[in-house]
């Protein structure tokens, strides 16, 4: 079930993804609607479940200094289940996504140093069925509107 959102809803969501603590008066001004309309719109988005909650995003540079990298991986299709199982045991793996295209998986890794990253990449490359990896170190995030994964964070 997908909800139909109009331009105003999408603008409100973009503002809240940038700053969930943005005052309602500021949201209303930026979207060119009345404050009461902004309240009603946000309440409606919450009731529909589009806004699942509000959370905290830490400044990773200050909270947990780290080297982060994206890694594209091509594997033998028959090795997929074992590959995923091995990666689940590695705490440095932030995300693992199956993707379409020339690679099979995209990883996001977090390590304490480039030497730790190098050792981890060697471990990943040695997993049975891994054919090829391509790594890009993340220098800075220019935009981050990623939602908080409540399914992962709730107990």
């Amino acid at each position: 079930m997908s909800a139909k959102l109009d331009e105003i809803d999408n603008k409100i969501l973009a503002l809240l993804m940038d700053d969930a603590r943005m005052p309602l008066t500021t949201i209303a001004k930026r979207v060119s609607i009345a404050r009461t309309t902004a309240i009603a719109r946000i309440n409606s988005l919450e009731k529909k479940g589009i806004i699942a909650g509000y959370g905290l995003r830490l400044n990773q540079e200050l909270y947990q200094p780290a080297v982060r990298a994206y890694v594209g991986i091509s594997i033998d299709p028959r090795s997929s289940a074992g590959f995923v199982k091995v990666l689940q045991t590695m705490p440095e793996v932030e995300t693992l996504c199956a993707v379409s295209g020339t690679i099979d998986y995209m990883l996001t890794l977090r390590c304490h140093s480039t030497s730790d990253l190098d050792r981890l990449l060697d471990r990943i490359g040695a997993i049975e069925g891994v054919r090829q990896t391509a790594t890009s170190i993340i220098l800075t995030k220019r935009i981050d509107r990623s939602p908080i994964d409540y399914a992962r964070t709730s107990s």
Side-chain angles (χ1 to χ4, degrees):
M1 173 175 90
S2 69
K4 298 263 186 201
L5 301 179
D6 64 14
E7 187 177 343
I8 292 173
D9 289 333
N10 285 317
K11 285 179 180 179
I12 290 170
L13 290 172
L15 290 169
L16 289 172
M17 284 188 285
D18 283 340
D19 180 4
R21 294 180 59 174
M22 183 177 289
L24 284 167
T25 53
T26 304
I27 292 170
K29 282 180 189 173
R30 291 205 184 159
V31 181
S32 301
I33 58 176
R35 184 180 171 278
T36 54
T37 304
I39 292 168
R41 291 283 187 130
I42 292 169
N43 286 338
S44 174
L45 291 167
E46 290 171 346
K47 280 184 183 173
K48 291 176 186 173
I50 293 166
I51 297 176
Y54 300 88
L56 174 72
R57 189 175 346 175
L58 299 171
N59 180 335
Q60 294 298 330
E61 290 178 18
L62 298 176
Y63 173 70
Q64 186 180 22
V67 174
R68 297 182 64 235
Y70 295 121
V71 183
I73 300 176
S74 298
I75 66 165
D76 174 38
R78 291 173 284 165
S79 303
S80 191
F83 172 75
V84 172
K85 200 175 259 190
V86 171
L87 289 181
Q88 286 173 330
T89 67
M90 298 179 177
E92 301 89 351
V93 175
E94 281 187 339
T95 61
L96 170 64
C97 301
V99 297
S100 64
T102 58
I103 60 172
D104 301 301
Y105 290 97
M106 183 62 77
L107 287 173
T108 308
L109 301 176
R110 174 186 298 282
C111 298
H112 292 289
S113 67
T114 54
S115 59
D116 287 346
L117 176 62
D118 188 39
R119 283 189 291 277
L120 182 61
L121 291 170
D122 287 343
R123 283 178 51 207
I124 291 169
I127 297 172
E128 186 177 333
V130 171
R131 291 189 298 219
Q132 184 178 8
T133 65
T135 304
S136 295
I137 294 177
I138 300 169
L139 301 175
T140 60
K141 277 188 182 178
R142 302 297 171 120
I143 297 172
D144 185 359
R145 292 184 181 143
S146 53
I148 295 169
D149 186 353
Y150 288 99
R152 252 184 65 194
T153 58
S154 60
S155 311

